[in-house]
């Protein structure tokens, strides 16, 4: 059964990511700088393992099919219509490999989700192993502090100089966010709110500390690649607060039928809407607000037409059930 709260959070996350790419002013850009951790948190919250899959390899192959094949399918057509970009084989290869900082810049988030998919069964087992919430949160916090000290000391230079190391330095903090989502699936709304308050306090302490030690650079964006404690404290605080609000005001949130349908559609087709927005980023210019609304609207509309066309082809061509499921997995979602 779908958890409509997570559909709402995914809707907010995707809308905020597209906003970030539309060129908003600095203040708005900072306020929405929780979007990627929010999406990772949602992945952890809805994660299930061991029920529908016969083993680790079965799970990984299913996740790769769901994450990678649609993107590669999109890229084949994207480069077919962008001969200037396709003329550089290194650029094309790095794009297909989702290397952060190389190739098509908007696909690094796919690398994050693919990397997490590879280790998520182990994260799941770790979550089951630690029964005490106190021990769990202390371990997570300690590990994140040690990670932040490492990247402050040498990690950012290593991140810039070594492409292969980027994957690991992205995977570690986002795995912790995924783990939090997994843990909060069974926690009370009061626990979610307490976590949000703790992260807000931590963020304010970091805000003061960063302002004193980093030449007044206070935007969390400067601590996103790789994600540091300053960036994650803000992102997790907002994520938990949104989860708290979506639970607290559940009935009011989903009382509007058309809004409800829009949230469900965007959440169910988030990958392809994200891919479509890459196309419109290169086609639509102008004021950031108008650009954001147009890119978002056009991406959702194209996805709506794509879903209708795919389903019409399946129905009219009497596609076998096996291939129909494959088409739906690849071309929708």
């Amino acid at each position: 059964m779908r958890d409509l709260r997570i559909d709402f959070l995914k809707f907010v996350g995707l809308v905020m990511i597209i906003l970030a790419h539309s060129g908003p002013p600095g203040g708005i850009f900072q306020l929405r700088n929780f979007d990627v951790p929010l999406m990772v948190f949602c992945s952890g919250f809805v994660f299930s393992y061991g029920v529908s899959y016969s083993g680790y390899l079965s799970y990984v192959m299913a996740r790769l099919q769901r994450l990678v094949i649609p993107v590669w399918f999109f890229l084949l057509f994207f480069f077919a219509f962008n001969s200037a970009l396709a003329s550089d084989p290194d650029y094309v290869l790095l794009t297909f490999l989702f290397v952060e900082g190389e190739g098509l810049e908007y696909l690094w988030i796919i690398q994050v989700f693919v990397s997490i998919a590879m280790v998520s069964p182990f994260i799941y087992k770790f979550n089951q192993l630690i029964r005490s919430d106190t021990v769990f949160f202390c371990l997570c916090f300690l590990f994140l502090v040690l990670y932040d000290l490492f990247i402050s000391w040498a990690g950012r230079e290593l991140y810039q100089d070594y492409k292969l190391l980027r994957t690991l330095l992205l995977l570690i903090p986002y795995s912790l966010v995924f783990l939090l989502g997994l843990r909060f699936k069974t926690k009370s709304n009061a626990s979610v709110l307490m976590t949000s308050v703790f992260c807000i306090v931590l963020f304010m302490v970091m805000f003061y500390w960063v302002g004193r030690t980093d030449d007044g650079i206070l935007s969390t964006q400067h601590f996103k690649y790789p994600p540091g404690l300053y960036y994650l404290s803000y992102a997790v605080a907002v994520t938990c607060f949104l989860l708290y609000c979506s639970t607290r005001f559940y009935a009011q949130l989903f009382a509007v039928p058309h809004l409800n349908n829009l949230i469900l559609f965007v959440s169910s087709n988030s990958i392809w809407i994200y891919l479509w927005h890459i196309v419109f980023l290169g086609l639509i210019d102008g004021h950031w607000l108008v650009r954001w609304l147009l890119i978002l609207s056009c991406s959702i509309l194209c996805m709506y037409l794509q879903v209708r066309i795919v389903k019409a082809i399946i129905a009219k061509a009497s596609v076998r059930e096996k291939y129909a499921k494959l088409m739906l997995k690849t071309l929708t979602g």
Side-chain angles (χ1 to χ4, degrees):
M1 185 176 180
R2 296 189 71 94
D3 189 329
L4 296 180
R5 297 174 304 162
I6 299 304
D7 287 311
F8 170 71
L9 295 186
K10 288 176 65 179
F11 174 83
V12 172
L14 183 59
V15 169
M16 291 298 100
I17 289 173
I18 295 176
L19 171 62
H21 296 164
S22 303
I28 294 176
F29 188 87
Q30 168 56 43
L31 288 174
R32 45 87 358 222
N33 209 11
F34 58 86
D35 42 24
V36 175
L38 174 60
M39 299 296 277
V40 175
F41 180 92
C42 290
S43 295
F45 200 95
V46 301
F47 177 81
S48 62
Y49 177 71
V51 177
S52 304
Y53 306 100
S54 58
Y56 173 76
L57 186 59
S58 172
Y59 167 78
V60 169
M61 293 304 295
R63 291 303 296 153
L64 292 180
Q65 180 183 344
R66 187 66 172 166
L67 289 169
V68 176
I69 301 303
V71 182
W72 282 354
F73 189 88
F74 166 80
L75 289 176
L76 289 175
F77 285 90
F78 181 83
F79 284 119
F81 289 95
N82 289 271
S83 56
L85 294 177
S87 62
D88 185 346
D90 291 336
Y91 182 90
V92 173
L93 177 62
L94 291 171
T95 298
F96 271 86
L97 294 176
F98 315 129
V99 178
E100 195 283 317
E102 309 289 342
L104 191 62
E105 61 179 311
Y106 303 108
L107 294 181
W108 70 273
I109 189 174
I110 305 298
Q111 181 204 64
V112 170
F113 282 105
V114 169
S115 301
I116 290 176
M118 302 291 286
V119 300
S120 53
F122 305 105
I123 299 175
Y124 174 78
K125 291 181 180 180
F126 175 80
N127 180 57
Q128 287 188 314
L129 182 66
I130 308 298
R131 298 294 183 181
S132 169
D133 286 342
T134 302
V135 174
F136 173 85
F137 285 111
C138 286
L139 284 175
C140 288
F141 181 69
L142 176 62
F143 193 79
L144 189 56
V145 168
L146 292 174
Y147 168 82
D148 194 71
L149 290 174
F150 170 73
I151 61 173
S152 299
W153 171 61
R156 299 195 186 280
E157 290 74 18
L158 294 173
Y159 182 86
Q160 295 297 328
D161 296 339
Y162 299 95
K163 294 183 178 68
L164 292 177
L165 196 57
R166 292 179 189 175
T167 300
L168 180 61
L169 291 176
L170 285 171
L171 175 61
I172 291 173
Y174 283 120
S175 292
L176 287 173
V177 176
F178 181 92
L179 179 60
L180 284 177
L182 191 61
R183 191 76 173 192
F184 280 149
K185 187 173 184 177
T186 58
K187 298 306 166 190
S188 67
N189 214 28
S191 298
V192 174
L193 182 60
M194 287 177 59
T195 305
S196 179
V197 171
F198 172 80
C199 289
I200 282 291
V201 173
L202 178 60
F203 170 71
M204 293 173 65
V205 172
M206 295 293 294
F207 182 88
Y208 174 76
W209 177 256
V210 170
R212 291 188 56 188
T213 60
D214 284 83
D215 300 322
I217 297 175
L218 300 178
S219 172
T220 58
Q221 184 69 17
H222 291 86
F223 301 84
K224 185 177 180 178
Y225 303 104
L229 187 60
Y230 182 48
Y231 169 78
L232 289 174
S233 61
Y234 173 77
V236 173
V238 177
T239 294
C240 290
F241 182 71
L242 288 173
L243 177 60
Y244 170 80
C245 290
S246 65
T247 304
R248 179 71 174 79
F249 304 104
Y250 182 88
Q252 297 89 332
L253 182 63
F254 295 100
V256 184
H258 295 299
L259 177 61
N260 189 15
N261 292 335
L262 176 62
I263 290 173
L264 286 173
F265 180 80
V266 171
S267 174
S268 301
N269 296 280
S270 56
I271 293 178
W272 269 102
I273 292 174
Y274 182 82
L275 295 174
W276 271 113
H277 108 279
I278 296 174
V279 175
F280 291 108
L281 280 173
L283 299 176
I284 299 174
D285 207 351
H287 187 273
W288 69 268
L289 180 58
V290 177
R291 188 173 185 237
W292 170 49
L293 294 175
L294 285 175
I295 291 172
L296 179 62
S297 300
C298 291
S299 301
I300 294 174
L301 177 59
C302 284
M303 190 59 225
Y304 174 77
L305 295 174
Q306 181 173 319
V307 170
R308 293 290 298 269
I309 291 170
V310 170
K311 290 184 177 180
I313 292 173
I314 291 173
K316 291 183 179 181
S318 299
V319 179
R320 292 182 180 179
E321 184 179 353
K322 176 182 177 181
Y323 298 110
K325 288 182 178 179
L326 180 60
M327 288 179 65
L328 288 173
K329 281 185 178 181
T330 304
L331 298 174
T332 66

